[in-house]
Amino acid sequence: MKNEHTLQVNAIENGTVIDHIPAQQLFKVIKILGLDKIENQITFGTNLSSDKLGKKAIIKITGKQFEETETNKIALIAPNAKLNIINDYIVTEKRVVKVPAQVVGLAKCVNPKCITNNEEITTKFTVFQTNGSISLKCHYCEKITDQDHLKIIVD
Amino acid sequence: MKNRSLVSITDYSKQEILYLLDLARKFENNPVSNLLSGRVIASLFFEPSTRTRLSFESAVQRMGGGIIGFSDSNSSSVTKGETLRDTIRTVTNYSDLIVMRHPLEGSAKFASEVSTVPVVNAGDGANQHPTQTMLDLYSIYKTQGTLDGLEIALVGDLKYGRTVHSLLMAMAMFDTRFHFISHPKLQMPDEYKIYLKEKNIHFTESAEFNKKVDSADIIYMTRVQRERFSDPIEYEKTKDTYVLRSNMLQSTKPSMRILHPLPRVNEIHIEVDNDPRAYYFEQALNGVFARQAIIATILGVDHLVK
Ligand SMILES: [Zn+2]
């Protein structure tokens, strides 16, 4: 397993490898990072076995690096994701994702009576972390959306 | 506070609350003025709430201000499908301040971001109703002479009742001791209990009326609504368990006062109305003075109040 992992990481010359994505979140991660809209070569594997996650997914993007503010967005759905930034076949940076303090325009408020679910409004949340799970407090209605009810808005 | 919207009671600091209470007292002594002469206040009630609307409109008119607006969404452009964003932008052109009641939660915050004039939240769904809190605070302040170090019993629906949540947040600034008395299904939500624990504020919790009310300075009663129970029998039982009766007041403090945001159903027996500790009808009148203080301050005429 260890060897296979290393092999996968080393398989690109320049770019980013995102590992430890929960398999069921793969397509949301692709959406959040806008990978479906870029020209770069992308390969992904999913339903790979993982001790931590059960089934995990891995994405390799050739010739692209991401700002931390961008990759932190996926922390909401893939908090254990790890990034390897690769230059000339060498991992030059290892990055974990950090849950951002504020989430703008990315999540849906759980409250059906929230103004943001009834009118075109960019959602805004303050993020709380308690016992390893994430919850979002709506800037507008003040209701808490917990991890189990978290819906990501992606177009 | 000048030109600032009021969306939630927590928008105000302890000092600002005390300032407004002092101002409310001045309005009570001298309610009629021309402080708002030439000013136009928009009163936008997207859902009807006669009590709140009349209280606001009375407050504005006692200061000589003009009022435009609507009292329910049937008479407004809302029926034509206009967005809140567009309604607020339009009304901004015609008014110096917007008072808004809306059934959706977070609508007041949103309106305050869209509007170029300050917005006063007159209730956004089950979320916030800060002027109600201010009138509760004024009632407590007036009857107890202070807000510091009081003991308050909150009774009834503590889970869904927004008035008790806002009152709790505000009184938590004043070293209050709380007693929560409610049906186990209508308990104070954890987030508020955690908040109090973090601030080291004492509270007790019980499922029935008990001796805790004897030391209380304020008993704050709330309505238990039928919709909160899926089982109608449970509702009927609950409804009767939390009824305040005269005999329960026998060993309470003479200075204690009973508050209720009104309208009541049956949670305060009418025999209590004659008790000198019953304060709920005067409480509503205090709303006019509290709202005068808030509006005058936001429009920057507070320094002219005598
Ligand atoms: Zn919301």
Side-chain angles (χ1 to χ4, degrees):
Chain A
M1 194 63 214
K2 199 93 195 151
N3 284 335
E4 186 192 341
H5 181 219
T6 316
L7 218 123
Q8 286 169 326
V9 171
N10 286 342
I12 57 173
E13 186 182 345
N14 288 300
T16 305
V17 176
I18 309 171
D19 197 359
H20 300 289
I21 300 166
Q24 72 276 16
Q25 305 289 10
L26 170 65
F27 292 94
K28 279 185 188 165
V29 170
I30 289 173
K31 285 275 191 186
I32 290 173
L33 294 176
L35 302 182
D36 53 341
K37 295 194 179 76
I38 58 173
E39 300 281 303
N40 304 54
Q41 205 178 80
I42 299 165
T43 52
F44 64 78
T46 187
N47 294 329
L48 309 169
S49 57
S50 154
D51 293 342
K52 253 196 223 161
L53 301 168
K55 299 271 185 212
K56 69 165 186 177
I58 185 166
I59 309 174
K60 293 184 268 179
I61 308 109
T62 304
K64 182 152 176 78
Q65 299 191 1
F66 296 88
E67 293 291 327
E68 271 198 67
T69 50
E70 261 182 294
T71 49
N72 283 346
K73 286 181 184 173
I74 70 170
L76 290 181
I77 52 168
N80 298 313
K82 288 193 175 54
L83 286 90
N84 288 296
I85 320 285
I86 294 157
N87 285 299
D88 273 335
Y89 297 105
I90 295 163
V91 176
T92 51
E93 186 193 338
K94 281 180 178 285
R95 192 192 292 171
V96 290
V97 292
K98 282 194 224 79
V99 177
Q102 279 245 318
V103 171
V104 178
L106 198 65
K108 195 171 147 25
C109 179
V110 75
N111 177 10
K113 291 195 72 186
C114 177
I115 186 75
T116 62
N117 287 318
N118 292 271
E119 190 161 326
E120 243 354 86
I121 297 170
T122 307
T123 61
K124 230 188 274 180
F125 299 90
T126 313
V127 183
F128 294 94
Q129 272 179 293
T130 34
N131 323 323
S133 90
I134 295 162
S135 56
L136 305 180
K137 186 176 184 186
C138 178
H139 167 73
Y140 291 101
C141 76
E142 305 179 32
K143 294 282 174 302
I144 306 284
T145 301
D146 62 28
Q147 201 148 23
D148 297 340
H149 295 94
L150 188 60
K151 280 206 183 82
I152 298 294
I153 309 169
V154 276
D155 34 45
Chain B
M1 284 173 276
K2 189 180 172 185
N3 283 327
R4 247 168 62 195
S5 289
L6 171 60
V7 174
S8 161
I9 192 68
T10 52
D11 293 345
Y12 288 157
S13 67
K14 181 176 173 174
Q15 275 63 40
E16 288 171 331
I17 288 172
L18 289 171
Y19 175 80
L20 288 167
L21 296 179
D22 189 49
L23 199 60
R25 202 206 315 249
K26 288 183 185 166
F27 276 115
E28 179 160 12
N29 294 333
N30 196 1
V32 182
S33 66
N34 266 313
L35 290 167
L36 297 187
S37 166
R39 306 289 189 109
V40 177
I41 281 68
S43 163
L44 309 184
F45 278 65
F46 293 86
E47 67 176 2
S49 172
T50 311
R51 262 165 225 283
T52 304
R53 186 172 58 82
L54 293 182
S55 176
F56 266 109
E57 297 188 357
S58 170
V60 170
Q61 291 187 354
R62 282 180 183 185
M63 296 187 285
I67 291 171
I68 57 169
F70 47 82
S71 55
D72 65 79
S73 56
N74 291 329
S75 57
S76 74
S77 50
V78 183
T79 42
K80 295 181 202 124
E82 188 179 55
T83 60
L84 178 60
R85 181 190 269 109
D86 288 0
T87 304
I88 294 296
R89 279 185 185 153
T90 305
V91 172
T92 296
N93 294 330
Y94 307 127
S95 60
D96 301 302
L97 181 144
I98 295 172
V99 172
M100 185 181 107
R101 170 104 168 188
H102 198 287
L104 293 174
E105 291 147 32
S107 54
K109 182 81 179 178
F110 176 64
S112 75
E113 292 174 354
V114 174
S115 176
T116 54
V117 300
V119 173
V120 173
N121 185 5
D124 60 328
N127 189 31
Q128 299 289 339
H129 193 5
T131 62
Q132 171 71 45
T133 311
M134 197 58 82
L135 89 82
D136 291 341
L137 293 174
Y138 184 54
S139 300
I140 296 170
Y141 180 67
K142 212 171 107 177
T143 60
Q144 306 300 321
T146 179
L147 290 182
D148 285 305
L150 298 175
E151 202 166 316
I152 299 183
L154 302 172
V155 186
D157 179 357
L158 306 186
K159 185 173 182 188
Y160 300 99
R162 68 176 170 193
T163 53
V164 292
H165 299 158
S166 303
L167 185 62
L168 179 146
M169 298 295 279
M171 286 306 293
M173 300 181 202
F174 295 92
D175 192 25
T176 305
R177 276 157 297 147
F178 293 99
H179 300 300
F180 304 144
I181 300 168
S182 72
H183 186 276
K185 282 200 175 138
L186 296 176
Q187 268 181 13
M188 186 60 74
D190 284 343
E191 54 189 291
Y192 295 101
K193 289 189 253 178
I194 291 166
Y195 179 80
L196 293 180
K197 276 180 195 155
E198 279 171 357
K199 299 197 83 179
N200 241 329
I201 294 169
H202 173 84
F203 65 86
T204 67
E205 224 172 354
S206 33
E208 57 208 18
F209 270 108
N210 52 30
K211 290 283 140 204
K212 293 273 176 12
V213 299
D214 289 354
S215 54
D217 298 296
I218 295 288
I219 298 179
Y220 195 97
M221 300 291 299
T222 61
R223 197 161 67 248
V224 174
Q225 286 167 292
R226 190 183 299 268
E227 308 90 88
R228 305 299 181 207
F229 290 88
S230 44
D231 179 1
I233 299 164
E234 198 169 6
Y235 167 73
E236 290 303 324
K237 270 196 288 183
T238 303
K239 196 177 84 175
D240 295 334
T241 314
Y242 301 97
V243 176
L244 190 65
R245 294 173 194 279
S246 286
N247 60 10
M248 299 154 94
L249 299 173
Q250 274 162 6
S251 35
T252 57
K253 288 183 176 179
S255 61
M256 187 274 285
R257 288 294 176 272
I258 304 158
L259 269 56
H260 188 299
L262 301 183
R264 72 174 148 180
V265 185
N266 73 330
E267 54 278 357
I268 303 176
H269 195 278
I270 49 163
E271 67 194 16
V272 177
D273 294 0
N274 297 322
D275 191 292
R277 284 161 289 203
Y279 193 73
Y280 27 95
F281 293 114
E282 287 136 288
Q283 185 186 352
L285 173 64
N286 288 334
V288 176
F289 310 127
R291 291 179 173 111
Q292 280 185 289
I294 290 165
I295 292 169
T297 304
I298 294 175
L299 289 176
V301 296
D302 47 326
H303 61 285
L304 302 172
V305 178
K306 290 189 186 78

